[in-house]
Amino acid sequence: MPIVLGIESSCDETAAALVRDDRTILAQRIASQDEAHRPYGGVVPEIAARAHAERLAPLIEAVMAEAGLGFGDLDAIAATAGPGLIGGVMVGLVSAKALAMASDKPLIAVNHLEGHALSPRLADPSLKSPYLLLLVSGGHCQILLVEGVGRYRRLATTIDDALGEAFDKTAKILGLGFPGGPAVERAALEGNPKAVPLPRPLLGSAEPHFSFAGLKSAVLRAKQAEVHADPDIAAAFQQAAIDCVIDRTRKALSTIAKPNALVVAGGVAANKAVRAALEKLAGEHGLPFVAPPLALCTDNAAMIAWAGQERLALPGFTADPFDFVARPRWPLDPDAAPVRGAGVKA
Ligand code: KG4
Ligand code: ZN
């Protein structure tokens, strides 16, 4: 049974994993850099790249040892080749190239977003395309129709901030620490979402996209007003964000033929309130709801190894060349129409 080594280093998690084609995760390790970035309240690219360079090789050694495998036992080496913080992506991709070259194995350059997009299939063998995917992380906020491996139709994206970014900025405004998403979710449990009126940008708009910048500014103004309790602001923010997500997902569903499932992936998929709202929406549309286990939602290498497996299984598979260049931007759907507004994420 084919075994793929996956490497992830596009943001602030350094990770390596070995995944077999029967979906068994033979070994996986993740080194989080939260401590290194915490003093700055966000990921510092230079610190991230140095940390990946220090940690990746020992992590790869550790997963190989844990699975009792040598590089000769592998069938391919897959690494995130973008989009992401370029210094980190280069560390992972160059390491994968060196290992592939030295062990004479195929290199698979994986789009990090494809890793997230296919991760639900690693967790759930019954999930078949086409499925509607809400991909919500710190860097990305998209609704994609997954039509097959390598075939993605982007139905919506954000015109400014990603959803995870909005959670992180809200946490920063409220002084809740880093990483922000889980801290906002915890604070929201103690608050009343109706206590603070916040906007729902683009709710009901004809265009399909997301926008969170106005919501973030409103959170800042609510904090500066000094009349609201922080948990109430957190709860109101989370509810406003969820209302936007549900509205946009409902709109996307109205523009396509009935998919096989509604799926959520990416770091924000770890949020229980977001999951519950999406599960309800799926139920209203008679769709199964699929969300990978939390460890597969946030950045990890098992999803990169699995994307490698999916590529390896395609008829006519070809390895990527050793001159494959790391990409800071790499849209999953190159044909998607550009959206208005600046600072659009890949
Ligand atoms: O997928 P991921 O690990 O990295 C990127 O590719 O961006 O996502 C990280 C993002 C961060 O913005 C983090 O605050 C958010 O996911 N996140 C959450 C939760 N857990 C992580 N947002 C809301 N609620 C959570 N429980
Ligand atoms: Zn990610």
Side-chain angles (χ1 to χ4, degrees):
M1 282 189 276
I3 298 171
V4 174
L5 168 66
I7 294 172
E8 161 60 32
S9 59
S10 66
C11 190
D12 60 344
E13 323 280 356
T14 317
L18 290 162
V19 176
R20 213 163 53 190
D21 75 333
D22 65 355
R23 294 178 160 79
T24 307
I25 299 172
L26 298 174
Q28 66 168 328
R29 296 280 164 103
I30 299 188
S32 160
Q33 303 174 7
D34 286 353
E35 293 306 324
H37 301 290
R38 185 163 287 129
Y40 309 94
V43 179
V44 183
E46 174 69 19
I47 293 175
R50 284 169 186 261
H52 289 304
E54 279 168 26
R55 297 173 187 187
L56 182 58
L59 282 185
I60 295 172
E61 259 190 317
V63 294
M64 297 300 291
E66 188 184 329
L69 296 174
F71 292 107
D73 301 319
L74 301 179
D75 293 273
I77 296 168
T80 293
L85 299 173
I86 196 67
V89 176
M90 284 168 68
V91 170
L93 182 59
V94 168
S95 303
K97 286 178 183 176
L99 290 173
M101 206 179 282
S103 55
D104 199 21
K105 299 294 176 185
L107 169 74
I108 305 180
V110 173
N111 184 318
H112 178 84
L113 299 173
E114 179 165 52
H116 280 300
L118 298 176
S119 65
R121 279 176 44 80
L122 170 56
D124 183 348
S126 70
L127 178 62
K128 302 266 184 311
S129 55
Y131 54 89
L132 190 73
L133 172 75
L134 178 70
L135 173 47
V136 277
S137 71
H140 310 285
C141 187
Q142 308 188 344
I143 301 177
L144 296 155
L145 183 63
V146 179
E147 295 175 314
V149 177
R151 294 191 294 128
Y152 309 96
R153 192 142 67 82
R154 196 195 73 195
L155 303 175
T157 186
T158 177
I159 61 174
D160 41 55
D161 294 350
L163 181 55
E165 200 177 351
F167 269 92
D168 292 335
K169 285 177 178 166
T170 295
K172 207 167 177 175
I173 291 167
L174 299 180
L176 294 175
F178 174 87
V184 170
E185 181 175 14
R186 271 193 306 276
L189 290 173
E190 313 292 320
N192 172 9
K194 298 207 171 79
V196 187
L198 291 176
R200 272 103 175 119
L202 297 185
L203 199 86
S205 86
E207 63 176 309
H209 302 300
F210 295 92
S211 168
F212 292 108
L215 176 57
K216 171 190 68 189
S217 307
V219 166
L220 180 61
R221 284 194 300 275
K223 172 72 181 171
Q224 286 169 339
E226 293 184 0
V227 293
H228 304 291
D230 285 354
D232 287 345
I233 301 178
F237 160 78
Q238 185 171 275
Q239 192 55 53
I242 288 172
D243 289 351
C244 294
V245 164
I246 295 305
D247 179 72
R248 306 287 75 193
T249 309
R250 185 178 280 127
K251 172 150 187 79
L253 280 167
S254 76
T255 63
I256 55 168
K258 191 174 176 181
N260 287 330
L262 175 61
V263 180
V264 65
V268 186
N271 185 293
K272 294 193 185 62
V274 171
R275 280 186 185 234
L278 285 167
E279 186 160 19
K280 183 161 167 279
L281 179 70
E284 285 166 21
H285 285 77
L287 295 172
F289 174 65
V290 178
L294 301 192
L296 282 180
C297 286
T298 48
D299 285 349
N300 66 88
M303 70 179 191
I304 303 303
W306 176 250
Q309 287 283 11
E310 296 258 28
R311 286 264 305 277
L312 202 55
L314 286 178
F317 164 80
T318 47
D320 287 307
F322 286 133
D323 62 358
F324 196 102
V325 177
R327 302 174 178 178
R329 296 258 156 136
W330 187 1
L332 264 189
D333 177 2
D335 299 327
V339 288
R340 69 176 170 86
V344 173
K345 311 291 169 183

